[in-house]
Amino acid sequence: MDSELAALAASGATTLVSLMVTDSWTHARELVARFLARIGSDDITIADMADARTRLLTADAAEDEQAINAVTAQWQVRLQQLVETESVTSSELRLLLTSLQQLAATSVRHIGTVHNDITGGVQHGPIIQSGRITGLTFHAHQPPAPEQG
């Protein structure tokens, strides 16, 4: 395989693995699944992606870099094999990679711990922390006033 295709496979693997731990994973998985189905790949590859994602999400901080490197290497080999066996052309792989990179540019990582503190007294309703929420409506009811006696 020439160096350009090796670099393409490496870039594709890195992008795919980075998407595995983001909010965009569902969409990325669908893109890759359609791509693999079009070339006649079996469901084992889709199951392998799910297993790889689980490994990444469950790795603790000490294992995080090792897990990322191992999964990236695994997917780099798979993408290289697709090109080497002529299951896909370099143009098809570039098109998939472009779609994944666009998705990665707008994704949010899941890895990491979030700690929230709520202060200011008793809260009588939902409390939400988010970067962006659209089209959400809450119907909160006030608790009954305490009886004075």
Side-chain angles (χ1 to χ4, degrees), residues 4-5 8-9 12 31-32 34-40 79 81-101:
E4 181 184 352
L5 292 178
L8 184 62
L31 284 172
V32 175
R34 281 194 305 262
F35 176 78
L36 294 172
R38 204 174 62 240
I39 63 170
L79 293 175
Q81 287 172 341
L82 288 174
V83 176
E84 287 172 352
T85 61
E86 299 179 358
S87 296
V88 298
T89 65
S90 59
S91 297
E92 290 172 322
L93 190 55
R94 274 189 194 90
L95 186 60
L96 174 66
L97 179 56
T98 299
S99 297
L100 291 176
Q101 287 172 336

Side-chain angles (χ1 to χ4, degrees), residues 5-22 25 28 32 49 52-53 56 64-65 67-80 93 96-105 107 109 111:
L5 292 178
L8 184 62
S11 180
T14 301
T15 304
L16 179 63
V17 171
S18 69
L19 284 166
M20 286 182 178
V21 293
T22 67
W25 174 241
V32 175
M49 283 193 304
R53 181 173 194 260
L56 293 173
D64 192 35
E65 193 66 30
I68 290 170
N69 291 338
V71 173
T72 302
Q74 171 191 4
W75 284 98
Q76 180 176 350
V77 168
R78 285 180 181 247
L79 293 175
Q80 284 177 338
L93 190 55
L96 174 66
L97 179 56
T98 299
S99 297
L100 291 176
Q101 287 172 336
Q102 289 171 349
L103 201 54
S107 63
R109 283 182 65 87
I111 294 179

